Amino acid sequence: MPASPSTARAINDRLALRLLQQEGPLTAGQLKQLTGLSRPTVADLVERLTAADLIAVVGEAGEQRRGPNAKLYGIVADRAHLAALDVRTEGVSVVVSDLVGAVLAEASVPIGGDTGTGPAVEQAVTLVERVAKEAGADRLHTVGIGAPGLIDPANGELRDSTGLPEWHRRLVATLQERLPEARVSVENETNLAALAEQRDGVARDRDTFVLLWLGHGTGAAVVLDGALRRGASGGTGEIGFLPVPGTSGLPSAVDCEGGFHSLAGSAAIVELARAYGLPVGSTAAHEPLAAGVVREAAGLVAGGGGEAGLLGDAASADRFLDAFADRLAVGVASVVAILDPGCVVLGGEVGQAGGDVLAGRVEERIRRMSPLATVVRPTGLGGGAVLRGALLTARDAAQDELFGPPDR
């Protein structure tokens, strides 16, 4: 059945708004060309969207800049303000953006392991409020949070997980209390990183891939046929618990020590580097130790000499990277055998630090271990992928609400 006039108008309005989001400011003529709609239909939707304060004239096109056809229409970016949080065990990072995703302010705060739950939550919430104020946001429309751990698929809440700080779960509830007008949602950090890589990173050409997160801990995100897969309990990608050879034992239901985490977590990487005679701690202060030593090793092997004067030699760095690639290949091969994703992205700070040098070694090993063709790519976004993914989800949610047809 054909759409009703009101439904057709809503569809056309949403199409125009999506084009303005993707392409930037456009003239009515450009909207007509891109949408395929008639000139009167475009004129009507421009009038509706302007009256709804969703779009406005933001300039003029062409050198002569004359006449109504030269008017450039853009989304009213300050119609809503958004916040994104990257919640780690050691601190929180926050960005605040406008409706189109332009970052207006950002900041981070470290939170020590000995900080109590209440003070930790207060530090994080205060940071959000401060960054929002610096961005000129009177209120936040949507807040997206990325955090480690399992998200309950039934209610969308962060589940209580052994080994993760209690303040993580308390933070979500407190933010909703302190920001009653905002929509607050939480998602697993690795899932958000995969979303960011799919939209803005190295997986833009893939509708099926796996992101292997390599940071303080390990995790994986699975995207199949363009959709993020979470599993029955929200636990898809908990690769740290994967039983693998080369560990001293087996993981348990409450502890991933003995699983893949024991081979590829940050502490294991640092220990491996020391075993190969590479000094740890000589890298930039802002960079995690594991990422720093991997970056230095990759730089030496690639002929760059490292960034901070690593005192080891290229031969030791080469052997270290070989050993580390062996470990990663064990986990990656297991994922490939089950999912056949065709592409694995090495994410997180460590994946970015290893770059093509590390990714190439892992891909070479997978080629020998599996008959399933798999490319391995280093992340294009690094640790910032979580914050980027959280901002993308917040922007999508806000636009879905604001760009949708009015309630009738």
Side-chain angles (χ1 to χ4, degrees):
M1 295 180 61
S4 66
S6 61
T7 300
R9 286 194 295 269
I11 292 173
N12 292 339
D13 291 354
R14 194 175 183 87
L15 174 59
L17 288 163
R18 288 301 181 196
L19 284 169
L20 290 169
Q21 169 67 64
Q22 296 166 7
E23 305 293 336
L26 298 169
T27 65
Q30 289 170 326
L31 280 171
K32 174 183 177 297
Q33 181 180 11
L34 291 171
T35 61
L37 300 173
S38 68
R39 189 178 300 276
T41 299
V42 170
D44 287 343
L45 73 82
V46 167
E47 183 178 353
R48 280 195 305 275
L49 295 176
T50 301
D53 196 29
L54 287 173
I55 67 171
V57 176
V58 296
E60 291 186 316
E63 295 181 359
Q64 297 181 351
R65 296 184 177 181
R66 66 174 185 268
N69 291 335
K71 290 181 179 178
L72 278 171
Y73 295 92
I75 294 173
V76 178
D78 62 0
R79 174 67 186 274
H81 289 95
L82 323 170
L85 283 72
D86 180 2
V87 179
R88 306 285 181 100
T89 56
E90 69 276 9
V92 177
S93 296
V94 177
V95 300
V96 171
S97 81
D98 60 23
L99 182 58
V100 296
V103 174
L104 304 175
E106 56 188 316
S108 300
V109 63
I111 297 179
D114 57 350
T115 306
T117 297
V121 170
E122 187 60 31
Q123 285 185 50
V125 174
T126 299
L127 179 68
V128 174
E129 294 172 337
R130 176 168 65 82
V131 176
K133 183 177 180 180
E134 291 174 357
D138 294 330
R139 60 177 290 266
L140 293 173
H141 181 282
T142 306
V143 179
I145 304 172
L150 301 178
I151 307 300
D152 191 324
N155 55 28
E157 296 180 356
L158 187 65
R159 291 170 53 183
D160 187 13
S161 300
T162 302
L164 294 177
E166 170 62 26
W167 65 265
H168 282 195
R169 296 182 71 244
R170 187 80 63 84
L171 172 61
V172 179
T174 303
L175 276 173
Q176 190 65 81
E177 292 171 2
R178 295 270 281 268
L179 304 171
E181 296 181 337
R183 298 173 56 181
V184 180
S185 64
V186 61
E187 177 61 273
N188 174 267
E189 58 177 354
T190 308
N191 287 345
L192 290 177
L195 173 63
E197 294 288 356
Q198 185 183 33
R199 298 270 287 272
D200 295 336
V202 299
R204 289 190 298 271
D205 61 335
R206 295 279 175 168
D207 63 0
T208 294
F209 70 98
V210 168
L211 180 135
L212 176 60
W213 181 263
L214 300 170
H216 176 72
T218 58
V222 177
V223 176
L224 300 178
D225 300 323
L228 184 68
R229 307 297 180 176
R230 295 178 174 83
S233 63
T236 295
E238 287 295 317
I239 197 172
F241 287 88
L242 181 71
V244 292
T247 65
S248 58
L250 290 172
S252 70
V254 296
D255 191 353
C256 58
E257 287 300 323
F260 182 64
H261 173 83
S262 298
L263 297 183
S266 60
I269 296 170
V270 169
E271 183 180 352
L272 183 67
R274 289 192 173 115
Y276 281 89
L278 303 182
V280 176
S282 61
T283 57
H286 68 277
E287 190 172 43
L289 289 180
V293 73
V294 170
R295 186 182 304 280
E296 289 283 3
L300 278 174
V301 170
E307 293 183 357
L310 183 65
L311 301 179
D313 56 55
S316 297
D318 188 67
R319 290 192 295 271
F320 160 69
L321 289 173
D322 273 343
F324 185 35
D326 287 340
R327 292 184 173 193
L328 293 181
V330 171
V332 171
S334 299
V335 170
V336 168
I338 300 297
L339 297 176
D340 186 19
C343 176
V344 173
V345 177
L346 301 185
E349 292 88 352
V350 173
Q352 185 177 43
D356 290 326
V357 174
L358 179 62
R361 290 173 190 234
V362 176
E363 182 176 319
E364 178 185 5
R365 284 156 175 77
I366 298 303
R367 193 179 301 120
R368 298 198 303 262
M369 297 170 68
S370 173
L372 307 177
T374 307
V375 297
V376 180
R377 298 172 178 174
T379 172
L381 302 172
V386 176
L387 208 52
R388 180 61 184 162
L391 187 57
L392 285 169
T393 58
R395 190 190 75 185
D396 289 350
Q399 291 184 355
D400 281 345
E401 178 180 319
L402 295 174
F403 293 178
D407 296 332
R408 300 190 186 280

